Amino acid sequence: MSTVPSRAITVDRPGEHTLTTGPAPQPGPGEVRVRVAAAGICMSDREVYDGHRDPGYVRYPVVPGHEWSGVVDALGAGVDPALIGRRTVAEGFRSCGSCERCRSGETSLCTAGYDETGFTRPGAFADHVVVPARLLHPLADDADLRAAALLEPAAVVAAAVRAGAPEPGERVAVVGAGTLGLLAVQLLSALSPAELTVIDPRHERAFQALSFGASEARSPEEAGAVRGRYDLVVETAGAPSTAADACLLARRGGRVVLTGMFTPGAVGIDPVHLSLSQLTVRSVFGASSAAWSYAVRAFTAGLLDPAALITHEFPLEEFAEAVKLVGGGDPGTGKVLLRP
């Protein structure tokens, strides 16, 4: 197998990173190497860089990058030769495939221990990334790889949509108009809701949702007038009060799905309201294989347009500038990509 040079961003410890060049990683048995086309930076990556991620969910030094797309350029032993040259994305969780949760299809809840590309294994802030071939989700030959880099957050949203089980004609609300929220609007609008309301304090982001299929945009203050209205509420913001707010938006007997990553100190859900309203509340952590398949199918069918969320693109050499934009509070900053 030929050796080619490959660069990678390594976060050696919180706040410190290096850009190194060396031989490209070689895939082992059952693995493939992917030439990275684009990799998205999300708040989880910013937390890794700043040292704010739970120690159980990161292993320094690490090459971050769990949202990515690329082209298979090398195979390990036992891998289908037809994968060479295929455009692809891949699941991040290195699920074992044999525990009870995996065998039940809940691969994001694997009990073998947390293991994820970009956090405990080298990720895609690099020219190449190596992953198990079983985790690939090959794309169409003409797939837009720039847009496909957002299929990881789209898979998380797909997990939320599957958990919420929306039906045509229902009233639906999305709390948060970040990347997850705007992707949720796209998936939910394809299911013909009677109403699709987006709630976000950033007027520019909330109103951007209107172009993606939302029927209404409200600020959190304006949302007080529609409490108890919605059949389904999908929370995507992870802000201190949004879990409790989402439950107040749901009608009696309604469903709430929480996808935001909350930090300690978040406002709790009122158990009295939960009980009296007979709400169904689900949470989502990552995405199962089924949710990934859902997102890839929606992307291939043209129901998802992730490219519209991208606002900034940087080469690997400008990683420090790129990561500062994420979580910086500028409403004009959408999805930030690295383009190796």
Side-chain angles (χ1 to χ4, degrees), residues 17-297:
H17 75 279
T18 54
L19 175 60
T20 58
T21 301
Q26 298 301 315
E31 296 181 330
V32 300
R33 186 178 72 202
V34 178
R35 178 68 168 86
V36 179
I41 306 177
C42 84
M43 273 304 297
S44 295
D45 301 308
R46 178 68 189 264
E47 290 170 358
V48 167
Y49 189 68
D50 290 343
H52 295 158
R53 189 167 173 87
D54 187 306
Y57 292 88
V58 63
R59 188 179 302 147
Y60 297 102
V62 64
V63 178
H66 60 287
E67 305 177 0
W68 57 267
S69 63
V71 178
V72 177
D73 76 345
L75 308 176
V79 177
D80 184 356
L83 286 173
I84 280 286
R86 285 299 302 270
R87 300 184 181 206
T88 195
V89 291
E91 298 173 33
F93 285 123
R94 304 292 185 97
S95 54
C96 72
S98 58
C99 71
E100 182 180 2
R101 295 275 55 81
C102 284
R103 297 293 287 175
S104 297
E106 298 175 326
T107 52
S108 58
L109 299 178
C110 176
T111 59
Y114 174 73
D115 196 9
E116 184 175 5
T117 301
F119 297 104
T120 62
R121 303 290 186 105
F125 292 175
D127 288 322
H128 300 87
V129 63
V130 170
V131 295
R134 64 185 175 83
L135 299 181
L136 294 182
H137 287 265
L139 304 173
D141 292 341
D142 61 350
D144 177 359
L145 290 177
R146 178 173 169 270
L150 275 71
L151 282 174
E152 192 277 342
V156 174
V157 168
V161 171
R162 295 179 77 244
E167 297 184 2
E170 288 193 315
R171 295 185 296 269
V172 181
V174 175
V175 179
T179 297
L180 290 180
L182 294 176
L183 290 170
V185 167
Q186 294 187 23
L187 283 182
L188 289 164
S189 66
L191 300 173
S192 302
E195 298 176 20
L196 182 51
T197 301
V198 174
I199 298 163
D200 195 288
R202 301 165 295 180
H203 295 289
E204 298 89 344
R205 302 304 297 275
F207 283 99
Q208 185 181 10
L210 298 176
S211 65
F212 295 153
S215 55
E216 180 185 38
R218 289 176 177 262
S219 68
E221 294 74 23
E222 294 168 334
V226 288
R227 285 183 173 179
R229 178 171 182 79
Y230 299 99
D231 302 290
L232 171 64
V233 182
V234 178
E235 187 283 329
T236 68
S241 66
T242 50
D245 292 341
C247 290
L248 294 176
L249 288 166
R251 64 164 172 82
R252 298 191 71 189
R255 291 110 58 207
V256 178
V257 183
L258 307 176
T259 68
M261 295 300 291
F262 298 95
T263 57
V267 179
I269 297 169
D270 180 1
V272 175
H273 174 76
L274 190 67
S275 177
L276 294 178
S277 296
Q278 199 173 308
L279 299 181
T280 299
V281 180
R282 290 281 307 273
S283 62
V284 168
F285 177 67
S288 67
S289 297
W292 271 92
S293 295
Y294 187 114
V296 170
R297 287 196 305 271

